[in-house]
Amino acid sequence: MKIEFLYKDDTYKTIIENLKESLGLEEKEIVYTPVVQAGLNIFSFQKNGENEETAKVLDEIKKIVLESLSLDNLFIITDEISSYFCQRLYPQLASFERGLRKVLYIASLKSNDENIINLCKKIEELEFAKIYQMLFSDTDYITEAKKIVNSNSPSYSKHDILKQLANISESTVWDKLFKGEYSYIPENFLDIKAGRNKVMHSRNISYAEFSIIKNTLSKSNKLLRDMESDLLEKENNKYQGAVDIIISALSQLGKAMHDMAVNRITTTVLEQLGELAYEGIFGDKASEKTDVSFDDIVIEIDDKDDNADEEGKELCLTN
C-alpha cells in the first residue's frame, strides 16, 4: 500500500529528513522513496499489506506530512489508503441504500397513504440529497422557522430562537411512516451523505473519517434490518392476537373437559366407596335399608362397638 506526494520543489527533503525519527519509518517497516521525474519532485511512503492496520499506519504518516509541509505546494497524487477505505465502505453504502428503499416500500404500502406511496415510488430516481428532503424535511416547518429567524423582532439569544423553533410542529414523511421511531437514521443521514460523496467520488479519506462512516453505516444497516423485521412481524402480530384468543379458549375448554372427566371419575369412585361402607356398616341389613339417616348410621356403629367390647371381655375371662 502506498501514499505518494508531488511537491513544488525539493525543499521537502530537509523537512522529511528531520521527521524520519518521529515518523518511525524503520520500526513500522515503511519504505520512503524520494525521486525526481521530468523535473518534478515526487516522494512516497510504502508498506506491505492490504489491510486496515496497514492503512491506519500509513494514514498516520500522511497526517504528519500534511501538517508539516506547505499545502499550497503539496499534492497527493496516489492515495491507496483512501482507495482501500472507499472499497471497504462501498458495500455498506450499497446495503444502506437498498435497505432504506426496502423499508420505505413496505412501510408506505402498509400506511395506505396514496401520497406517501407515490413519493416512495420515486425514491429510485432521486439523488441522495433529494431523498433527504423528501423524507426528513417539512416545508411548512421550514417556512415558519425562516419567519422566526429572519423576523424584525428584537434580538434573540440562541436559547430564545431554539425555544420558539421547538414550538413549531413538524411532520415529515419519516414521522408519518414510523411514528417518531428509528430516529438514528434521520439524525445521521447528512453524515452518511457526506461519507457517500467521498466514497462515490474517490475523495481522500482519513482513518478517523473512515471509522466514523463505517460505524454509522454499521448501526444504520442493523437498524434497517430490525425495521424490516418489525414491519413484517407487526403484520403477523395483527393475526397473532386472534390466534392467541383461540388458543386460550381451546386451553380453557380442554381444562374444563378435563375437570369434568376427573369429577365424573371421582364421583363414581366415591359412589363405589359409599356402597362398600354402607354394606360394611349394615351388613346383611344393607339391602333392607332404603332410607337411612345419619343417626341410623351412628346408632349402628355404636352397637357394633358395644358388641366388640362384650366379645373382648368374654375373651379375657376365658383366658
Side-chain angles (χ1 to χ4, degrees):
M1 190 177 292
K2 181 168 72 172
I3 178 76
E4 190 173 38
F5 300 91
L6 170 64
Y7 204 69
K8 188 176 180 181
D9 53 43
D10 64 357
T11 56
Y12 77 88
K13 291 183 179 179
T14 304
I15 298 171
I16 296 300
E17 286 296 325
N18 294 333
L19 287 173
K20 272 189 176 181
E21 187 173 339
S22 61
L23 291 172
L25 301 181
E26 288 188 15
E27 61 183 76
K28 295 175 183 175
E29 299 180 340
I30 296 172
V31 177
Y32 164 60
T33 307
V35 297
V36 176
Q37 292 182 339
L40 299 174
N41 294 279
I42 298 172
F43 63 98
S44 64
F45 299 91
Q46 190 167 354
K47 179 177 173 61
N48 290 333
E50 293 289 330
N51 52 60
E52 189 171 321
E53 184 58 34
T54 299
K56 182 180 178 181
V57 170
L58 284 175
D59 184 68
E60 292 172 357
I61 302 296
K62 179 173 75 171
K63 182 181 178 182
I64 294 173
V65 170
L66 292 175
E67 291 173 348
S68 304
L69 295 175
S70 170
L71 298 181
D72 293 335
N73 300 325
L74 182 68
F75 303 88
I76 299 176
I77 56 176
T78 301
D79 189 350
E80 294 180 357
I81 307 165
S82 294
S83 296
Y84 173 81
F85 291 151
C86 288
Q87 290 170 12
R88 288 284 307 278
L89 291 172
Y90 181 82
Q92 289 194 62
L93 281 165
S95 294
F96 175 78
E97 293 191 37
R98 287 195 300 269
L100 181 63
R101 290 197 296 268
K102 188 173 185 178
V103 297
L104 288 173
Y105 293 150
I106 296 171
S108 63
L109 285 177
K110 285 170 66 69
S111 73
N112 294 318
D113 187 319
E114 288 300 322
N115 291 328
I116 292 179
I117 291 171
N118 291 330
L119 278 174
C120 291
K121 281 181 180 177
K122 300 175 183 176
I123 194 172
E124 187 85 30
E125 307 163 8
L126 295 177
E127 297 176 2
F128 214 67
K130 296 291 184 182
I131 293 175
Y132 177 85
Q133 293 176 14
M134 183 193 88
L135 293 177
F136 309 123
S137 64
D138 177 0
T139 53
D140 292 336
Y141 174 83
I142 293 171
T143 300
E144 292 300 315
K146 285 180 177 179
K147 287 180 182 178
I148 292 173
V149 175
N150 298 326
S151 66
N152 294 320
S153 302
S155 297
Y156 287 116
S157 67
K158 178 181 177 181
H159 172 77
D160 292 331
I161 292 175
L162 292 176
K163 188 175 180 181
Q164 288 201 56
L165 292 176
N167 290 329
I168 307 173
S169 62
E170 183 181 24
S171 180
T172 66
V173 170
W174 189 269
D175 291 333
K176 290 175 183 175
L177 286 175
F178 304 111
K179 313 303 180 188
E181 296 182 20
Y182 315 115
S183 61
Y184 185 84
I185 288 176
E187 289 172 359
N188 292 274
F189 194 86
L190 289 178
D191 292 334
I192 295 173
K193 174 178 171 290
R196 181 183 182 276
N197 285 341
K198 281 182 171 287
V199 171
M200 295 305 177
H201 297 289
S202 298
R203 302 267 170 80
N204 294 333
I205 302 177
S206 68
Y207 179 77
E209 291 173 318
F210 164 74
S211 298
I212 291 171
I213 299 168
K214 181 180 73 170
N215 290 337
T216 303
L217 285 171
S218 178
K219 289 180 182 178
S220 298
N221 286 333
K222 181 183 182 306
L223 181 58
L224 288 171
R225 291 192 293 271
D226 292 342
M227 290 170 68
E228 179 187 345
S229 297
D230 290 345
L231 287 167
L232 297 178
E233 284 178 8
K234 281 178 182 176
E235 183 65 24
N236 293 335
N237 289 339
K238 184 172 73 174
Y239 303 103
Q240 189 62 43
V243 172
D244 290 342
I245 292 172
I246 293 171
I247 291 174
S248 177
L250 289 173
S251 175
Q252 293 181 36
L253 178 60
K255 185 176 183 301
M257 293 176 67
H258 174 267
D259 291 344
M260 288 172 63
V262 170
N263 289 338
R264 183 176 179 182
I265 293 169
T266 303
T267 301
T268 302
V269 171
L270 288 175
E271 288 174 352
Q272 292 175 349
L273 290 173
E275 290 176 2
L276 291 173
Y278 191 75
E279 291 176 0
I281 293 170
F282 293 103
D284 295 338
K285 295 183 287 183
S287 58
E288 302 171 4
K289 301 288 184 179
T290 57
D291 186 11
V292 181
S293 68
F294 181 74
D295 291 338
D296 293 335
I297 294 173
V298 172
I299 292 169
E300 186 68 24
I301 291 174
D302 287 342
D303 290 343
K304 286 185 178 292
D305 288 341
D306 291 340
N307 291 335
D309 289 341
E310 290 299 326
E311 290 175 359
K313 289 178 183 178
E314 291 177 4
L315 183 59
C316 290
L317 290 173
T318 303
N319 291 335

